[in-house]
């Protein structure tokens, strides 16, 4: 299947994110260019706001920025299809275009975690946890990915409503990622 998603920023923040800081206000916690780009294998066509997997492999792309050492971070993904995807955060040093990684997605490694509402599961360390989601995601849905490195937790939202929460290791530098 052809999978496509768009990344966007939002004025709305998840419930446990009360700060309204601009990411550029905390340069010690965020590394990378001011204007974020998606980086992935050549099978994934990307523009500034859209990502499309044109291969039969489960390819992964991540941003060219990373966060670490505290702070609260948030990004959104606007789904343009309802296909099989894993959206979340990964170790910023992870290599996703090696032959051994082409079948792995966000959450299939010890240093990544992600949400998959096609199968209604949360992924981390290659294991899935079933979610109590009432429906699969659909085209037009917005998936929110919040990361609080101060309290060491991540929150995922579907159209602004919390659907999953997970504890994270704050010692890693993390990047937004999608498979």
């Amino acid at each position: 299947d052809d999978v496509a998603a768009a990344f966007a920023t939002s004025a709305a923040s998840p419930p446990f994110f009360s700060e309204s800081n601009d990411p550029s206000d905390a340069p010690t916690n965020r590394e990378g260019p001011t204007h974020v780009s998606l980086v992935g294998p050549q099978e994934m066509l990307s523009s500034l706001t859209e990502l499309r997997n044109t291969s039969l492999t489960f390819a992964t792309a991540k941003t060219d920025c990373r966060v670490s050492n505290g702070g609260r971070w948030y990004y959104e993904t606007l789904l343009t299809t309802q296909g099989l995807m894993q959206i979340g955060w990964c170790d910023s040093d992870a290599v996703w275009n090696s032959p051994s990684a082409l079948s792995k997605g966000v959450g299939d490694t010890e240093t990544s975690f992600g949400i998959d509402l096609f199968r209604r599961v949360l992924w981390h360390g290659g294991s899935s946890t079933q979610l109590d989601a009432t429906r699969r995601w659909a085209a037009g849905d917005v998936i929110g990915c919040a990361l609080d490195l101060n309290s060491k937790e991540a929150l995922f939202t579907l159209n602004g409503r919390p659907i999953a929460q997970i504890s994270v290791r704050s010692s890693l530098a993390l990047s937004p990622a999608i498979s």
Side-chain angles (χ1 to χ4, degrees):
D1 268 44
D2 211 19
V3 176
F7 287 81
T9 58
S10 170
S13 295
F16 67 80
F17 279 61
S18 58
E19 296 178 341
S20 59
N21 293 338
D22 182 336
S24 61
D25 289 344
T28 58
N29 295 355
R30 181 187 180 281
E31 298 174 27
T34 303
H35 299 286
V36 177
S37 296
L38 298 169
V39 179
Q42 90 183 57
E43 295 87 9
M44 297 189 87
L45 303 175
S46 67
S47 66
L48 186 58
T49 59
E50 187 176 16
L51 180 67
R52 184 173 299 276
N53 185 358
T54 60
S55 77
L56 298 176
T57 63
F58 201 56
T60 297
K62 63 182 180 176
T63 62
D64 60 355
C65 72
R66 63 191 202 166
V67 297
S68 62
N69 301 322
R72 294 178 172 131
W73 308 94
Y74 181 72
Y75 78 93
E76 290 182 339
T77 304
L78 171 65
L79 303 182
T80 57
T81 70
Q82 64 180 19
L84 178 61
M85 294 173 263
Q86 291 172 207
I87 302 170
W89 299 87
C90 74
D91 174 1
S92 63
D93 293 327
V95 177
W96 294 98
N97 58 357
S98 68
S100 64
L102 284 178
S103 63
K104 295 184 185 279
V106 177
D108 292 342
T109 66
E110 286 298 321
T111 57
S112 66
F113 48 94
I115 192 88
D116 170 356
L117 284 182
F118 185 80
R119 295 177 283 194
R120 299 181 194 151
V121 294
L122 180 68
W123 288 97
H124 174 64
S127 298
S128 63
T129 303
Q130 197 66 41
L131 297 174
D132 290 330
T134 57
R135 66 173 183 87
R136 290 181 171 181
W137 50 28
D141 283 343
V142 175
I143 306 303
C145 300
L147 179 64
D148 186 339
L149 291 175
N150 299 329
S151 65
K152 300 178 184 177
E153 62 185 359
L155 175 74
F156 295 95
T157 63
L158 172 62
N159 299 324
R161 294 190 178 106
I163 53 172
Q165 196 164 345
I166 187 173
S167 296
V168 298
R169 294 183 358 210
S170 65
S171 61
L172 296 173
L174 299 167
S175 295
I178 183 170
S179 301

